[in-house]
Amino acid sequence: MEIQEFTHSAERLRSDLLLQAMHYLDGTEDAEDAVQETLVKLWIAKNRISDARKMRNMASVICRNVSLNILRDSRNSISIEDARTIASLDNPHKQLEEQESWQKLKLSVQALTDKQRAILKMRNVDNMSYTDIAKVIGTTESSIRGMISKARMALLKQMKGAGL
């Protein structure tokens, strides 16, 4: 499947996949993550996809599995914030400082553009290579390096503005 055909099909599938993911997951943020991961997995398997109908079927199965994995992982683990809270129960002042820092960090990340957040997530959370991100986005590796650098600089600027 060619890049243009893939992106065109992916754009048409995106809203259906989001609805499907929201069926399994409570938050739209988790559902959006599931859709992004689904599209990345589809991209990786694009050479095995012969037409749009096969892509739709494969996307549905992948989205269901990814959503169920996110749901299972969220039930089986505590968040980083919860772990830090538990660790600092003996020091309420430290706990309050950490909560404020996490809140400022969240606000700084939310202030980034959707594209910047997605690219940073692909690189730093999903541990994707620059090459893989470039394939998903449909651009060059050097362009991705520049985008990530700008996103990191924007995040740093936001964090400094938030007092971190």
Side-chain angles (χ1 to χ4, degrees):
M1 180 174 275
E2 296 295 321
I3 292 174
Q4 292 173 337
E5 184 181 359
F6 177 87
T7 56
H8 181 68
S9 296
E11 288 172 0
R12 289 185 296 164
L13 285 173
R14 189 169 189 63
S15 60
D16 292 339
L17 292 173
L18 188 58
L19 289 174
Q20 181 181 354
M22 288 174 65
H23 173 75
Y24 293 102
L25 304 167
D26 291 333
T28 55
E29 189 173 298
D30 284 339
E32 183 63 38
D33 289 345
V35 170
Q36 288 177 0
E37 188 171 337
T38 298
L39 293 174
V40 168
K41 289 181 182 222
L42 280 173
W43 177 260
I44 292 168
K46 75 180 181 338
N47 294 332
R48 295 180 298 181
I49 302 171
S50 57
D51 61 18
R53 190 182 61 121
K54 185 174 181 181
M55 183 175 173
R56 176 176 289 282
N57 294 339
M58 186 181 257
S60 179
V61 171
I62 293 171
C63 187
R64 182 194 68 219
N65 292 341
V66 167
S67 297
L68 291 174
N69 286 343
I70 290 172
L71 186 61
R72 183 191 67 233
D73 291 345
S74 70
R75 289 183 180 167
N76 291 336
S77 64
I78 62 172
S79 70
I80 293 172
E81 291 175 38
D82 292 340
R84 287 177 186 242
T85 300
I86 292 168
S88 65
L89 283 176
D90 60 333
N91 187 341
H93 181 71
K94 183 177 178 182
Q95 182 180 3
L96 182 60
E97 285 179 353
E98 286 186 14
Q99 287 174 346
E100 288 175 354
S101 293
W102 275 104
Q103 185 63 30
K104 289 176 183 177
L105 178 61
K106 283 182 180 178
L107 291 173
S108 296
V109 170
Q110 289 174 351
L112 297 174
T113 66
D114 291 339
K115 188 173 185 178
Q116 287 174 327
R117 278 194 309 271
I119 289 173
L120 286 176
K121 181 184 180 298
M122 283 184 216
R123 180 67 184 151
N124 298 324
V125 176
D126 299 334
N127 295 320
M128 291 176 63
S129 68
Y130 292 110
T131 305
D132 290 341
I133 297 170
K135 288 178 184 175
V136 170
I137 302 292
T139 188
T140 64
E141 186 176 330
S142 62
S143 176
I144 291 298
R145 288 181 188 276
M147 287 181 209
I148 289 174
S149 175
K150 287 179 184 177
R152 287 177 178 161
M153 290 183 350
L155 180 60
L156 184 60
K157 182 179 177 182
Q158 287 293 331
M159 290 171 66
K160 283 182 180 178
L164 285 177

